[in-house]
Amino acid sequence: MSRAEQGRLTVVPRPPPDQCGIILHPAGHTRSPAMHNAAFAALGLQAEYRAFDVPPEGLADAIQSMREREIRQLAVSIPHKQTVMAHLDEVEPTAEQIGAVNTITLRENRLVGSNTDWLGAIQALERETTLPGQQAVVLGAGGAARAVVYALCERGAEVLVLNRTVERARDLCQELGAKGFGSPDDLEEIPHSVLVNTTSVGLSSDESPVRATSLRAHSVVMDAVYEPAVTRLLRDATERGATPIGGKWMLVYQAAHQLKLWTGLDAPLDVMASAFDED
Ligand code: NAP
């Protein structure tokens, strides 16, 4: 006799959805929940992705809570990418070399730190160019710069690092094996075929980190900033005859690698890119 015929409804308990998310501070608008939740839905995963506002003094508690609540994966954003490393059970060698973790994955009750920003940067750049032998300039010397410089060196490009605080550019250059360093004002004098902005200049503003006249025709210009989707730098690059790449692509590809780290599944890139556009 079926359950319906018995006249009783048996409720079969379903396991709660897996929890994932991003920690950042201050928690302004982030497109990560939209991208990941769209990917979960497309893949039929019972999972939820949320943004958590975690100030620096709350980081230890947040990581402890990840352990207790068995949160499967946390993306790590500003300002925690370096400080979070001390709270983990293991940091993958690449993230150790870059000196920044942007992903924590729960694996057999251990919290493992990885960096997917560098993979996202490579794939975004490779949409428009090959990297070995390119003369590349990276603007900035913060967390994103570390991942991008590592990526470009790893792919065999010659890399110069230009930063407002030149000492930081020097330290990063020496640590990661770039060819030289300087200030963003030096760009006018530097021939280059690839330029990547990893400073926060242009974020929610109409500023560019460099003068338009220092941009080269036929070069590839990528902006890690993705808010707005088309920054002043990218507009200037297009006008100068360069090929622009928006920060959206670095974000989408690095998120796809995060999903793969947790689930082992190939991410639906188109779905994630559309979710970015629509959010
Ligand atoms: P960060 O560690 O705080 O570094 C900020 C960098 O910007 C430093 O080099 C800083 O120079 C420079 N800077 C800040 N204000 C400046 C100004 N007014 N003039 C000149 N330089 C200035 O930040 P981050 O984590 O590297 O992130 C940087 C940007 O990349 C953010 O907009 C972030 O959203 C974006 N990002 C995008 C992706 C992606 O997937 N698309 C991934 C990671 C980050 P000083 O050293 O002189 O202070």
Side-chain angles (χ1 to χ4, degrees):
M1 194 187 297
S2 76
R3 283 173 184 148
E5 284 168 318
Q6 282 177 328
R8 287 169 51 196
L9 200 67
T10 306
V11 177
V12 180
R14 293 179 62 188
D18 286 322
Q19 297 296 318
C20 299
I22 179 167
I23 53 171
L24 73 168
H25 184 76
H29 179 234
T30 164
R31 304 198 199 211
S32 294
M35 285 195 308
H36 284 272
N37 283 323
F40 295 160
L43 293 169
L45 293 171
Q46 293 298 316
E48 278 174 1
Y49 191 104
R50 295 163 58 195
F52 301 100
D53 186 349
V54 176
E57 63 276 15
L59 182 61
D61 284 350
I63 301 303
Q64 184 55 28
S65 147
M66 179 181 186
R67 290 181 196 278
E68 288 166 5
R69 294 165 59 189
E70 296 188 353
I71 293 176
R72 299 308 176 110
Q73 190 174 66
L74 281 182
V76 182
S77 190
I78 293 174
H80 303 304
K81 287 186 180 182
Q82 280 155 306
T83 45
V84 80
M85 295 168 84
H87 299 278
L88 307 179
D89 300 314
E90 186 184 331
V91 173
E92 287 187 341
T94 312
E96 193 82 60
Q97 264 179 283
I98 292 170
V101 157
N102 79 325
T103 313
I104 311 169
T105 308
L106 185 65
R107 277 193 210 135
E108 294 167 357
N109 289 323
R110 289 170 59 74
L111 297 184
V112 181
S114 315
N115 189 302
T116 64
D117 282 337
W118 77 282
L119 295 165
I122 286 179
Q123 275 187 280
L125 284 164
E126 286 180 347
R127 289 175 68 83
E128 299 293 350
T129 185
T130 55
L131 294 173
Q134 299 282 6
Q135 292 182 293
V137 172
V138 175
L139 302 170
R146 300 185 71 89
V148 170
V149 170
Y150 179 88
L152 288 164
C153 291
E154 185 65 23
R155 279 290 191 271
E158 284 195 349
V159 186
L160 296 180
V161 184
L162 308 182
N163 192 43
R164 174 179 66 176
T165 310
V166 177
E167 298 75 39
R168 287 187 82 194
R170 179 198 59 207
D171 293 349
L172 194 159
C173 172
Q174 288 169 352
E175 223 179 298
L176 293 178
K179 194 178 153 210
F181 62 92
S183 134
D185 293 337
D186 300 334
L187 186 65
E188 202 104 33
E189 314 299 324
I190 299 173
H192 58 271
S193 48
V194 172
L195 176 71
V196 183
N197 174 44
T198 69
T199 75
S200 40
V201 180
L203 176 64
S204 305
S205 81
D206 196 38
E207 293 168 87
S208 171
V210 289
R211 281 188 293 277
T213 49
S214 56
L215 302 173
R216 310 284 162 125
H218 312 302
S219 63
V220 167
V221 177
M222 182 164 89
D223 204 337
V225 172
Y226 51 82
E227 201 71 67
V230 181
T231 57
R232 169 85 174 270
L233 173 66
L234 295 182
R235 282 205 322 273
D236 289 347
T238 305
E239 277 169 25
R240 298 281 295 174
T243 303
I245 304 174
K248 159 188 164 176
W249 290 111
M250 180 173 162
L251 190 75
V252 167
Y253 287 120
Q254 68 77 29
H257 283 283
Q258 289 178 325
L259 191 79
K260 180 114 186 171
L261 277 174
W262 167 42
T263 62
L265 300 172
D266 288 330
L269 283 169
D270 292 349
V271 169
M272 295 174 92
S274 300
F276 176 101
D277 293 336
E278 288 158 17
D279 191 43

